């Protein structure tokens, strides 16, 4: 069995131009941001290196829909050793692949007990700690001005994003990797009996 690798996925929104009268403008208006947005999906490894960034789509499209249309969900079927830490937009993917995909737990109901709310906060904190490398990778894209407030044509955003994704990936490849601490017990010195 191949060694399981942990990757993360997150969708990042970039604001796009807001000129009135643009055809198909409504498809790009995000319900959350209340403005024109373009989303892209990013995958990184457990070291915070970008593995893939793409699947550029209108901001109105849900993350789960993009995963289905781009056949990313099918990759979990084909590669059962791959594990992913995802954000709350991919909860359906976590339900479909519970042993491979970890998503934040759903918030308990308003009338639930204090113990359930505390357990939810702790589970959410643990999941956020596991996903922090994904968010740091995502932040690398936000450092590039063209992606902070994109003012070009929507049709050209994909090429701009992929060009910057290549630069981010190259920068991450040159970084020294962080060693994961081992939980194995290692004898400090050999003892003679």
């Amino acid at each position: 069995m191949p060694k399981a690798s942990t990757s993360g996925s997150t969708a990042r929104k970039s604001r796009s131009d807001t000129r009135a009268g643009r055809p198909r403008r409504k498809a790009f208006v995000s319900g959350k941001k209340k403005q024109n947005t373009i989303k892209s999906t990013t995958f990184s490894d457990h070291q915070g290196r970008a593995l893939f960034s793409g699947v550029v789509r209108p901001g109105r499209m849900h993350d789960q829909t993009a995963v289905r249309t781009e056949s990313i969900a099918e990759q979990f079927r084909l590669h059962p050793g791959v594990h992913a830490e995802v954000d709350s937009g991919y909860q359906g993917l976590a339900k479909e692949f519970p042993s491979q995909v970890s998503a934040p737990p759903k918030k308990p109901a308003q009338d639930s007990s204090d113990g359930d709310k505390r357990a939810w906060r702790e589970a959410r904190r643990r999941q956020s700690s596991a996903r922090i490398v994904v968010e740091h990778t995502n932040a690398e894209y936000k450092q590039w001005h063209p992606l902070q407030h994109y003012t070009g044509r929507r049709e050209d955003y994909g090429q701009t994003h992929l060009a910057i994704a290549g630069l981010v990936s190259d920068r991450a490849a040159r970084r020294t990797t962080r060693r994961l601490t081992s939980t194995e017990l290692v004898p400090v010195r050999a003892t003679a009996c």
Side-chain angles (χ1 to χ4, degrees):
M1 176 177 221
K3 186 175 179 183
S5 64
T6 304
S7 64
S9 173
T10 189
R12 188 181 126 22
K13 290 186 179 186
S14 288
R15 289 176 29 198
S16 64
D17 57 356
T18 56
R19 285 176 279 180
R22 295 288 305 257
R24 301 180 323 157
R25 179 175 180 242
K26 188 173 182 178
F28 290 87
V29 177
S30 168
K32 183 177 179 182
K33 299 275 186 181
K34 304 287 190 265
Q35 58 188 342
N36 282 354
T37 56
I38 299 173
K39 285 187 184 178
S40 58
T41 302
T42 302
F43 292 94
S44 65
D45 65 0
H46 62 281
Q47 297 284 334
R49 295 175 298 216
L51 299 174
F52 170 79
S53 186
V55 191
V56 175
R57 62 198 185 276
R60 190 179 192 106
M61 184 184 290
H62 195 276
D63 299 339
Q64 189 69 27
T65 305
V67 166
R68 300 274 178 237
T69 58
E70 297 294 329
S71 301
I72 294 171
E74 187 62 30
Q75 297 302 314
F76 285 107
R77 273 194 229 356
L78 298 174
H79 305 285
V82 174
H83 298 280
E85 302 286 338
V86 297
D87 64 11
S88 58
Y90 300 97
Q91 297 229 347
L93 194 63
K95 280 185 180 178
E96 189 174 345
F97 302 100
S99 62
Q100 291 178 274
V101 179
S102 171
K106 285 194 172 185
K107 190 171 184 175
Q110 191 76 340
D111 60 345
S112 61
S113 68
D114 289 339
D116 288 344
K117 291 178 183 177
R118 269 188 254 112
W120 171 76
R121 279 194 297 272
E122 179 59 27
R124 180 103 177 161
R125 187 194 62 77
R126 275 188 269 114
Q127 206 272 345
S128 294
S129 295
R131 277 197 75 250
I132 194 68
V133 294
V134 178
E135 293 301 329
H136 286 173
T137 303
N138 202 23
E140 290 185 51
Y141 293 94
K142 294 177 184 177
Q143 293 172 0
W144 295 84
H145 185 69
L147 295 184
Q148 289 173 2
H149 185 82
Y150 185 72
T151 57
R153 298 183 59 81
R154 287 187 201 122
E155 297 82 23
D156 299 335
Y157 178 81
Q159 293 173 342
T160 304
H161 182 83
L162 290 176
I164 292 174
L167 295 170
V168 169
S169 178
D170 290 347
R171 184 191 297 177
R174 286 194 303 268
R175 265 195 318 255
T176 57
T177 58
R178 295 174 290 249
R179 295 191 64 144
L180 297 177
T181 56
S182 175
T183 57
E184 293 181 29
L185 295 175
V186 179
V188 176
R189 58 188 164 105
T191 57
C193 293

